[in-house]
């Protein structure tokens, strides 16, 4: 699975939300500075080339839809981040978030309970 740029990820989140969309529908969801229609059209075509989206043609217009599920992308993204930034160690990842105070002791206990009660 090819890595996405930040803008490509932004578009994918919109497509996952909308499920099917024309470029104008994607543009309507953008909250930041709205680039030109052609810019987003190019981004979406790049996503299609990378195998993330497909389209249905309606004359000269295309309706795009994701062919990679959000969960599938999340799993690949997280596995890549854990490998590249935490030496493939989930323990290092969790301790990082604990040190950064992004996860509390109560949340860690809850996670431990989930792991222990998995059986």
């Amino acid at each position: 699975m090819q890595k996405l740029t930040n803008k490509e990820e932004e578009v994918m989140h919109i497509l996952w939300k909308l499920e099917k969309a024309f470029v104008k529908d994607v543009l309507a969801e953008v909250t930041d500075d709205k680039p030109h229609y052609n810019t987003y059209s190019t981004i979406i075509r790049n996503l299609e080339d990378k195998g993330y989206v497909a389209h249905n043609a309606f004359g000269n217009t295309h309706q795009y839809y994701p062919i990679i599920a959000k969960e599938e992308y999340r799993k690949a993204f997280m596995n890549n981040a854990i490998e590249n930034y935490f030496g493939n160690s989930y323990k290092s990842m969790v301790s990082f978030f604990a040190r950064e105070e992004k996860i509390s002791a109560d949340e860690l206990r809850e996670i431990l309970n989930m792991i222990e009660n998995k059986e």
Side-chain angles (χ1 to χ4, degrees):
M1 186 176 296
Q2 281 187 287
K3 183 164 175 41
L4 299 180
T5 66
N6 289 341
K7 280 292 181 197
E8 288 171 338
E9 265 190 32
E10 178 185 342
V11 170
M12 282 305 300
H13 283 285
I14 293 169
L15 287 172
W16 284 319
K17 176 184 168 189
L18 299 177
E19 296 178 1
K20 289 184 178 181
F22 297 96
V23 175
K24 66 179 178 67
D25 300 325
V26 173
L27 277 172
E29 294 288 319
V30 176
T31 56
D32 299 343
D33 295 330
K34 294 187 192 241
H36 193 269
Y37 177 96
N38 290 340
T39 303
Y40 268 70
S41 180
T42 300
I43 291 169
I44 294 171
R45 282 195 314 275
N46 288 342
L47 286 168
E48 190 168 27
D49 291 343
K50 289 181 177 184
Y52 282 85
V53 302
H55 73 270
N56 293 316
F58 297 95
N60 292 335
T61 305
H62 294 129
Q63 183 183 48
Y64 296 93
Y65 56 92
I67 55 176
I68 298 289
K70 188 175 185 178
E71 289 299 318
E72 184 180 351
Y73 181 74
R74 181 187 339 208
K75 183 176 180 181
F77 176 82
M78 289 304 298
N79 287 340
N80 188 34
I82 291 165
E83 182 179 327
N84 291 331
Y85 295 102
F86 301 104
N88 224 16
S89 167
Y90 288 85
K91 178 181 171 186
S92 293
M93 180 191 68
V94 172
S95 64
F96 167 80
F97 288 115
R99 281 192 311 274
E100 294 292 315
E101 298 179 4
K102 302 290 184 193
I103 191 168
S104 69
D106 287 340
E107 290 170 319
L108 286 172
R109 279 191 273 291
E110 189 177 326
I111 292 168
L112 282 172
N113 281 336
M114 288 170 55
I115 292 168
E116 289 170 350
N117 294 326
K118 184 180 177 185
E119 302 167 14

